[in-house]
Amino acid sequence: MNVRRSAAALAASAVLCVGAAPAALADTAPPASPSAPPVIPEGLYGKNDPTYDGVWRQSFALLAQHTVGVKPSLKAMVWLVGQQCQNGGFASFRPNAGVACDANTMYDTNATAAAVQALQALGGHDAEVKKSVDWLKSVQNEDGGWSFVPGSPSDANSTAVVISALSVAGEKPAEVRSKAGKSAYEGLLPFQLGCNAEPAADRGAFAYQPVDGKLVANGDATAAAALASLGKGAAVVPSAENTPAAPLACPAVNAADPVAAAQGAAGYLAEALKKDGHLMAVTPGADQPTPDTGNTADAVLALAAAGHKESAAGALKWLEANSAEWSKGSPAALGTLVLAAHATGTDPKSFGGTDLVAALNATGPAPQGADTEATEVEGEKEKSSTNQNVWWVVGAGAAAGIGIGILLSGRRKKNQS
């Protein structure tokens, strides 16, 4: 999700403090100097600088692996759990998880929400999930929404990804209310362009934030809001339902209905994808819009979640033919493609001639399990236990020894890390 990652870069210009993991698990290497290559902590997926997206990309990698039946590396799960602060929040990345978070910590609602989805999906960390959920509730804005950095004005992307996390964790977003009494959905739905929007093709879309008081359609915000309004997270269960997405019903029957809002958003995405099979975006420094691979993948995921695989079919074919370079070496991008393929009933191991699962596995420590014993990472092969019971014993022992529960665990996005 391009907007989210851009916001992360701006927010993280301040010092990112570090969290509450035991010293034995802390990654104490100092941050790389501007002229040196980034220091990649052991257990973290990806080789690019993790300053702005470490937790996000780790969460999506682990979530995607779990969704397709791959057991993530124990090291990778320990790293993610160790990034959580004492209060339950996550920063985008903390280079030294052995130092407690403090008043200078730059918390990231998107990273926290992504971690909740991963940890909840794999199970075993109910306490950590609850702490994160409680923290997210504590930083809800009065209008019912959330911002990337707590205390800033709400935006649709952050509000949506938090709502998805709350839903996955078993919360009811309509009942999660701010101090002013506004629900999470009351914080999200006002970002939707309604029946009075012009051009008419933008009706049903969501804006990131108002621009000069006006809502401007944003593909990233729309895809995220569609998932959230359906009460779903990024790990969408494939459905037999398959109907064409329809434009926003106008006049709107019930503008406060999250499901109706989701279907209107799906209608906008389906129409936007019809021409070329992909969404467009203006890249900084470019004169003309270019294909937006990341948000196209998000749109496919949202359409599948809404029961409109038929409307996503063209975009899925476009991704199969055009996503290889964009996703190369990127755990967040590969993870999103795996989730999109899975949601549409497509084999992620045969995606336009690419085995997305193997490519994702190769961006980090080798997964557990006999079927992935030969996964090669950076020229080395890491053999995992062939006995599932032994793996559980090791995990439990590690949890007891370090004082935290080891999660068999793992969106926004994002995909371009």
Side-chain angles (χ1 to χ4, degrees):
M1 296 176 176
N2 304 325
V3 172
R4 184 166 300 132
R5 292 302 92 205
S6 297
L10 292 173
S13 59
V15 176
L16 295 177
C17 289
V18 293
L25 289 178
D27 191 302
T28 56
S33 67
S35 60
V39 175
I40 306 301
E42 185 178 16
L44 176 63
Y45 287 82
K47 298 304 176 185
N48 292 336
D49 186 346
T51 299
Y52 304 128
D53 76 336
V55 170
W56 180 270
R57 78 196 198 196
Q58 190 82 348
S59 298
F60 265 76
L62 296 174
L63 180 62
Q65 286 180 323
H66 170 75
T67 299
V68 295
V70 174
K71 285 183 179 175
S73 160
L74 187 61
K75 290 179 183 178
M77 295 184 288
V78 167
W79 184 89
L80 180 60
V81 173
Q83 287 283 299
Q84 187 179 42
C85 294
Q86 305 97 309
N87 62 5
F90 283 76
S92 302
F93 170 70
R94 292 178 289 131
N96 185 350
V99 178
C101 300
D102 59 20
N104 294 318
T105 299
M106 184 65 70
Y107 290 100
D108 176 344
T109 61
N110 290 223
T112 304
V116 165
Q117 291 197 50
L119 297 177
Q120 179 68 23
L122 287 126
H125 274 312
D126 291 349
E128 283 79 6
V129 169
K130 184 180 185 303
K131 284 175 65 177
S132 288
V133 166
D134 289 345
W135 179 81
L136 287 169
K137 290 180 179 180
S138 76
V139 296
Q140 185 178 18
N141 287 336
E142 288 195 357
D143 63 7
W146 282 265
S147 57
F148 187 93
V149 177
S152 300
S154 298
D155 66 79
N157 297 65
S158 297
T159 301
V161 75
V162 170
I163 288 176
S164 287
L166 293 174
S167 298
V168 166
E171 298 287 329
K172 296 180 179 179
E175 298 177 6
V176 176
R177 295 187 174 274
S178 69
K179 294 179 180 178
K182 296 288 188 179
S183 75
Y185 282 133
E186 288 179 291
L188 176 63
L189 299 191
F191 288 102
Q192 187 168 35
L193 283 72
C195 294
N196 295 323
E198 294 295 342
D202 286 349
R203 295 171 185 175
F206 278 73
Y208 172 68
Q209 283 179 328
V211 177
D212 295 328
K214 181 181 179 181
L215 297 178
V216 179
N218 180 284
D220 187 18
T222 305
L227 280 179
S229 297
L230 292 167
K232 296 183 179 182
V236 174
V237 178
S239 171
E241 184 180 359
N242 187 14
T243 59
L248 180 70
C250 289
V253 177
N254 186 353
D257 179 5
V259 175
Q263 293 300 336
Y268 164 81
L269 291 171
E271 190 63 28
L273 291 169
K274 277 185 178 179
K275 181 180 179 182
D276 300 309
H278 59 78
L279 299 180
M280 301 290 290
V282 178
T283 304
D287 295 329
Q288 299 294 330
T290 56
D292 189 332
T293 312
N295 286 337
T296 299
D298 296 332
V300 168
L301 191 61
L303 286 167
H308 307 309
K309 290 185 291 184
E310 179 181 333
S311 297
L316 192 67
K317 289 183 179 179
W318 185 87
L319 287 169
E320 288 184 305
N322 295 278
S323 63
E325 186 61 31
W326 167 77
S327 63
K328 185 177 180 180
S330 167
L334 289 165
T336 300
L337 288 174
V338 167
L339 292 169
H342 175 78
T344 57
T346 304
D347 184 3
K349 294 184 178 181
S350 181
F351 191 82
T354 298
D355 184 339
L356 296 175
V357 178
L360 174 60
N361 293 346
T363 65
Q368 301 284 325
D371 60 333
T372 54
E373 282 181 332
T375 299
E376 195 168 54
V377 180
E378 295 299 306
E380 297 182 358
K381 292 185 179 179
E382 186 175 308
K383 290 188 176 181
S384 60
S385 171
T386 58
N387 185 314
Q388 184 174 0
N389 293 328
V390 171
W391 187 88
W392 276 94
V393 170
V394 171
I402 65 177
I404 63 174
I406 299 299
L407 170 66
L408 296 187
S409 93
R411 203 270 334 77
R412 181 251 207 215
K413 209 181 172 251
K414 175 94 180 196
N415 301 346
Q416 293 181 324
S417 311

